[in-house]
Amino acid sequence: MLFPNADVVVNPVLLALLGVIVGTLGGFFGVGGGFLITGGLLVFGVPEIYAIGTGLTLIMGSSIINMLKHRGLGNVDFKLGIPMVLGAIPAVFAAESLNSSLEEAGQVGNVIPYVYVAVLLLLGFFLVYDFFKTRRRSLSADSQSEAVSTAGLTQKIQSLRIPPHSVKLPGLPARSTYISLKVSGIESISVFVPLLVGFGIGFFAGLLGAGGGFILMPVLVFVVGIPTTVAIGTDLFQVIITGSWGTLLYALDNHVDPLMALIILAAASVGSQIGTTATRFVDPGRIRILYGITVLSGALAIGMGQVAKASAGLAFLSRIDDWVLLGIPGCMCVVITILMVREAWQRRIANNEGLAG
């Protein structure tokens, strides 16, 4: 099928498959899936500028679909998300300034890809480590599902007393800088904590050219102490806001193929139903370990691409890395669906036995 804007012929079935994968993983993990969407479009032969522009549009669209679904499940904490967005906006500009300096020095290609791989590796291995460490703890079933290896750190972060403790605006009474996050289950936390988290995530997002969602979800869980499902929904809200600017710029330059975006978004809406529904049935600990494996597959694919560029003898890796980028997340969607169906079936059996008793 010919897509006139991008001037490329692509099988629409492959685009729909990509959409289902992105929608499922986005709804399940709370990420925009930027590296997966752009990488997938490049595999299908879409020119790079259109792959990036259309990819940003798809990140926005799939994130909106998934966020609305999570909002219906009560998994979006807007009171937490808004300060993070306010902190992220200036950080993105700071990161872009650093990138410009690196580009002038001719070091962007030598720095950014390796930083990206390093971040993905550290994040992926930590998630795997956390899963096995918390799994060994002798806790009850309910507490084990949200148990994390950084519980001590989250308590310290939530109890931080950061001045000023109140602010006074002209004509208004003084307001405390501590907020209650009922959706996240936090009675009181300094508003400067989400502002600083947003700044850090925004800086990484601007530096690495990603939405930042792949870092934010783990930070909310392991640093701030937000329940996994709420972190997923709130992460999607942040991705929508911070990714809007890039989408607008590419759309104004006519570097978005609307027909391609429409096909993928339609399929993503189907995957979204699977991914978001699965968060109701799959244990939070398993959500995090599956996310860790997916992140490691992204690090492997990007790392293989860099090795292929650096060594002519290993150029064949460039033909493998793209399929790693799509194949492992595709298998992950199958695993998510199986876990959801199995858990839903077990709960149904337990309910029937309870009624019979």
Side-chain angles (χ1 to χ4, degrees):
M1 180 176 177
L2 175 64
F3 293 88
N5 244 37
D7 192 25
V8 64
V9 176
V10 182
N11 189 333
V13 175
L14 293 178
L15 293 176
L17 180 61
L18 177 62
V20 172
I21 292 174
V22 169
T24 302
L25 296 186
F28 192 68
F29 296 133
V31 295
F35 69 91
L36 179 61
I37 294 174
T38 304
L41 292 177
L42 290 173
V43 169
F44 299 155
V46 178
E48 184 171 310
I49 190 68
Y50 286 96
I52 296 172
T54 306
L56 282 170
T57 304
L58 294 168
I59 291 170
M60 289 294 300
S62 63
S63 296
I64 290 172
I65 293 169
N66 287 318
M67 192 274 287
L68 290 174
K69 180 70 174 177
H70 275 285
R71 182 186 180 188
L73 297 173
N75 293 339
V76 182
D77 193 333
F78 292 104
K79 203 171 180 180
L80 169 66
I82 291 173
M84 288 195 300
V85 169
L86 293 176
I89 292 173
V92 170
F93 287 104
E96 288 177 347
S97 177
L98 176 58
N99 270 343
S100 297
S101 300
L102 290 172
E103 186 176 9
E104 290 176 4
Q107 296 297 317
V108 171
N110 297 328
V111 175
I112 301 303
Y114 297 103
V115 172
Y116 204 173
V117 172
V119 171
L120 289 174
L121 284 174
L122 288 172
L123 179 58
F125 280 122
F126 172 77
L127 289 167
V128 174
Y129 158 80
D130 174 80
F131 174 77
F132 287 106
K133 182 173 181 179
T134 55
R135 191 181 183 186
R136 290 194 297 265
R137 293 180 179 176
S138 55
L139 298 172
S140 65
D142 289 338
S143 60
Q144 188 176 15
S145 65
E146 281 294 350
V148 294
S149 58
T150 57
L153 173 63
T154 62
Q155 291 176 1
K156 291 179 181 178
I157 294 296
Q158 292 179 17
S159 60
L160 282 175
R161 308 293 292 179
I162 304 175
H165 303 299
S166 63
V167 292
K168 191 176 187 308
L169 299 176
L172 296 174
R175 298 295 299 271
S176 172
T177 57
Y178 295 88
I179 56 177
S180 173
L181 304 175
K182 294 182 179 179
V183 176
S184 298
I186 297 177
E187 292 185 5
S188 178
I189 188 171
S190 172
V191 72
F192 296 112
V193 170
L195 279 170
L196 291 172
V197 168
F199 185 90
I201 297 303
F203 185 81
F204 268 106
L207 184 67
L208 303 178
F214 75 99
I215 306 175
L216 180 57
M217 190 273 276
V219 167
L220 290 179
V221 173
F222 295 105
V223 178
V224 186
I226 305 300
T228 301
T229 52
V230 176
I232 291 170
T234 308
D235 186 356
L236 288 166
F237 169 71
Q238 183 267 349
V239 170
I240 292 170
I241 302 299
T242 57
S244 298
W245 184 244
T247 301
L248 178 62
L249 290 178
Y250 276 90
L252 291 175
D253 288 338
N254 199 32
H255 288 149
V256 175
D257 193 301
L259 181 57
M260 192 179 297
L262 181 63
I263 292 174
I264 299 178
L265 279 176
S269 65
V270 176
S272 170
Q273 300 299 314
I274 299 172
T276 52
T277 302
T279 60
R280 297 172 53 195
F281 296 97
V282 181
D283 181 89
R286 288 185 177 178
I287 294 177
R288 297 193 295 267
I289 182 65
L290 292 175
Y291 182 57
I293 294 171
T294 305
V295 167
L296 287 175
S297 73
L300 176 62
I302 297 171
M304 290 170 66
Q306 291 303 307
V307 171
K309 290 179 182 179
S311 175
L314 297 174
F316 68 92
L317 290 176
S318 64
R319 295 189 295 273
I320 301 175
D321 62 345
D322 292 328
W323 295 107
V324 171
L325 194 66
L326 293 175
I328 295 179
C331 293
M332 198 61 64
C333 290
V334 175
V335 172
I336 290 169
T337 304
I338 292 173
L339 288 174
M340 178 184 68
V341 172
R342 188 182 69 176
E343 182 63 28
W345 181 256
Q346 289 176 348
R347 290 187 186 184
R348 182 178 180 181
I349 292 175
N351 289 336
N352 289 338
E353 289 178 349
L355 292 174

